[in-house]
Amino acid sequence: MYRKMLFIGCLIVLSACAVSCDGRYKQKDSQEIAVKKFIEANKNLESITFIPEYPIEIITDTIISAHTKVRIKTKTSDNEVLKVGNQTSQTYTAYRINESHIEITSHNHLIFSNKIDIEMFSTKDSFWNTAILESVWVNEFESNTEGIFLDIVFKNAATNNFKFFKLFVQKDGNYTIKTV
């Protein structure tokens, strides 16, 4: 009786296996189908590259003389980006928005404190539609006891064109901007 029950049990298991494995899909076919479904599902996804990859903050201290010091604090925004890219392939480059804060002290007194960003320079020129602040630095060769020269560069992210400016800060804190 025990053998009969064992035989019937094995027969039921084998018949269940035979019925469930009808052989319609092989492993190779299943893999191809899965790859096609994956490609189809991801066809409309955006690909975004961030520049810089992570938010940054750079502080540069420059000593012009024994009494005059310049501090430039440049940082990128965590949330604000300028997206530039190809609409058809849906690949974008997202440039993080930069801004610099300039502090100039003379004889331990703050004579100039200002934020450098696009709003300070932009005009109706189409260059500014996709422009970002590239860099700000002290021009040590032109700076003197009468004032500090800062060189400022903006980049048009879409066309890779640049605009250069000189910001001259006088010892009394007044400033002028010239296009180079």
Side-chain angles (χ1 to χ4, degrees):
M1 177 86 159
Y2 176 72
R3 285 186 182 174
K4 217 178 202 186
M5 293 288 267
L6 185 61
F7 177 72
I8 292 174
C10 287
L11 191 61
I12 291 172
V13 169
L14 287 174
S15 63
C17 288
V19 170
S20 67
C21 298
D22 60 2
R24 280 187 282 177
Y25 294 109
K26 304 279 189 253
Q27 180 179 2
K28 180 182 173 187
D29 296 335
S30 296
Q31 186 175 13
E32 286 178 13
I33 291 169
V35 168
K36 285 180 185 176
K37 284 183 181 179
F38 178 78
I39 290 171
E40 194 65 34
N42 292 324
K43 192 182 282 188
N44 296 326
L45 289 181
E46 290 183 347
S47 171
I48 300 175
T49 304
F50 285 94
I51 296 179
E53 190 172 349
Y54 301 103
I56 60 168
E57 181 175 292
I58 299 170
I59 298 174
T60 306
D61 289 326
T62 306
I63 299 173
I64 302 299
S65 67
H67 305 290
T68 307
K69 298 176 179 109
V70 179
R71 172 172 265 214
I72 303 172
K73 181 178 179 181
T74 303
K75 65 179 184 173
T76 59
S77 173
D78 294 340
N79 303 330
E80 290 184 71
V81 294
L82 173 67
K83 282 173 61 173
V84 177
N86 188 345
Q87 299 286 341
T88 58
S89 67
Q90 297 204 3
T91 57
Y92 299 97
T93 303
Y95 293 90
R96 294 186 191 276
I97 303 298
N98 299 330
E99 69 178 36
S100 292
H101 188 77
I102 312 297
E103 289 182 352
I104 300 174
T105 57
S106 180
H107 294 54
N108 293 326
H109 290 87
L110 184 67
I111 61 169
F112 182 80
S113 178
N114 206 343
K115 179 174 74 167
I116 307 294
D117 59 4
I118 287 182
E119 293 168 8
M120 189 174 184
F121 295 85
S122 68
T123 60
K124 294 184 186 210
D125 184 7
S126 64
F127 172 87
W128 298 105
N129 294 340
T130 54
I132 57 169
L133 176 65
E134 185 74 13
S135 60
V136 177
W137 70 94
V138 176
N139 186 330
E140 296 175 37
F141 298 110
E142 292 184 25
S143 297
N144 53 39
T145 56
E146 296 302 314
I148 308 297
F149 280 94
L150 299 169
D151 292 333
I152 302 168
V153 178
F154 286 93
K155 174 184 176 182
N156 184 305
T159 63
N160 284 333
N161 291 332
F162 295 88
K163 286 199 178 203
F164 298 91
F165 297 92
K166 284 201 181 296
L167 176 71
F168 177 64
V169 180
Q170 299 168 359
K171 60 184 175 182
D172 63 358
N174 293 323
Y175 66 92
T176 56
I177 300 172
K178 284 197 251 179
T179 304
V180 179

